[in-house]
Amino acid sequence: MSAPQTFPSVAPEVVQWAGAAQRSVAVSAAPEAASAVAFEHAVPASGPPTDFMLERYSWGWQTLPRHFDKAAGDGSFVHYVAGTPRPLYPAGHPEAGQRMRTQWLVFKFRSDGVFTSTGAHIAVLGRAEGTATWNRGRGFALGRQVLLPDDPNACPPAPVGTAYTQPETWWTETTADRQSPRSRVFGPPLCSPPAVLDFRDYVLALHVADGGWVAHWVVDLQTGEQILGTAWRDTVNGESALIDGLTGYAIALVFGATQATPWKFTAYDIASGWF
């Protein structure tokens, strides 16, 4: 897949520099999205463990602290791209002039000890917006089982060091005096095999289309084998119409509470676009 190279035009702004008489024209451009993101729990030889997030841009790596916890010990890390350029279908297309309907997100990833050493899982959201404590979007969770065995959406038990993917949808419930985060994880028959392993590289793709249609795939980079592929329609999300208008995406890690063992999750060669 190749990313569209068209961006919406934005009128240039005239900027008055403080203390200067001259003016210059600022050229507007789409913000650069990170090409790689890493969530890391480091355990130094001396001193307390440190949690941080790395983001790679054309100018180098940016280091950030991990996000605050929704509950004690959650260990939340969230990388958000607030919005992506959403092109129109070109002339000659049956829907020429209409906004493209399907967002895609592709990246390679590697877990170094996350599935073995923690109860964490990674969340991948398309058509997304949110913060460290609430989210909107559609996608999937990747990692250890976090539901109780008697939950109807729980996947079967799996060996330590392996991971499932399960579809998930996120929304915000708004009442007169508050907003509350909501989500739904989908289990059997949409559980993948527990075939994603620590210390191995994979590539994943996520498609999120108008009307609640979602699909994702994971391929083992060492063997070239597609180890899972899931397509489904979200009819649960309480903000479906709002989500159809969103253009952002997110990669997050949650429940990565402090551990005695170091671990790291890296997403790299991140690309996104529309068709």
Side-chain angles (χ1 to χ4, degrees), residues 1-167:
M1 285 179 278
S2 60
Q5 296 300 309
T6 56
F7 295 90
S9 60
V10 182
E13 298 177 30
V14 177
V15 179
Q16 176 68 63
W17 298 100
Q22 60 183 192
R23 295 182 177 184
S24 64
V25 176
V27 178
S28 297
E32 180 184 358
S35 62
V37 176
F39 309 131
E40 185 166 2
H41 176 70
V43 181
S46 61
T50 303
D51 292 326
F52 55 92
M53 181 170 75
L54 298 167
E55 298 175 331
R56 184 177 183 176
Y57 297 93
S58 59
W59 43 265
W61 287 91
Q62 172 174 263
T63 302
L64 300 169
R66 76 166 171 83
H67 294 79
F68 57 88
D69 298 334
K70 290 185 289 184
D74 272 2
S76 301
F77 303 72
V78 186
H79 170 73
Y80 266 108
V81 172
T84 61
R86 184 177 182 179
L88 305 179
Y89 288 113
H93 189 278
E95 296 181 86
Q98 300 297 310
R99 295 186 305 172
M100 291 187 176
R101 293 181 177 275
T102 303
Q103 181 190 39
W104 58 264
L105 172 66
V106 176
F107 60 84
K108 298 170 185 173
F109 70 90
R110 178 182 178 89
S111 166
D112 290 304
V114 175
F115 308 138
T116 302
S117 302
T118 80
H121 69 256
I122 290 83
V124 182
L125 292 73
R127 309 295 280 270
E129 70 173 4
T131 68
T133 56
W134 61 267
N135 307 279
R136 294 183 173 104
R138 295 183 169 104
F140 64 95
L142 164 69
R144 294 281 299 280
Q145 175 65 258
V146 296
L147 301 176
L148 295 175
D150 60 352
D151 190 302
N153 286 310
C155 295
V160 172
T162 66
Y164 287 104
T165 69
Q166 291 180 261

Side-chain angles (χ1 to χ4, degrees), residues 119-214:
H121 69 256
I122 290 83
V124 182
L125 292 73
R127 309 295 280 270
E129 70 173 4
T131 68
T133 56
W134 61 267
N135 307 279
R136 294 183 173 104
R138 295 183 169 104
F140 64 95
L142 164 69
R144 294 281 299 280
Q145 175 65 258
V146 296
L147 301 176
L148 295 175
D150 60 352
D151 190 302
N153 286 310
C155 295
V160 172
T162 66
Y164 287 104
T165 69
Q166 291 180 261
E168 188 167 1
T169 183
W170 297 261
W171 68 97
T172 300
E173 188 176 88
T174 302
T175 61
D177 60 347
R178 65 181 300 175
Q179 287 188 314
S180 302
R182 296 286 183 263
S183 67
R184 168 78 178 273
V185 179
F186 296 86
L190 296 175
C191 297
S192 75
V196 181
L197 308 176
D198 269 332
F199 312 109
R200 199 173 182 98
D201 289 78
Y202 300 88
V203 60
L204 68 78
L206 171 68
H207 291 179
V208 184
D210 289 356
W213 294 100
V214 188

Side-chain angles (χ1 to χ4, degrees), residues 202-243:
Y202 300 88
V203 60
L204 68 78
L206 171 68
H207 291 179
V208 184
D210 289 356
W213 294 100
V214 188
H216 68 269
W217 303 262
V218 175
V219 174
D220 187 321
L221 282 174
Q222 182 172 319
T223 65
E225 176 187 4
Q226 178 177 304
I227 60 174
L228 65 96
T230 302
W232 58 291
R233 190 177 190 186
D234 178 8
T235 60
V236 174
N237 196 299
E239 296 183 312
S240 289
L242 187 158
I243 287 169

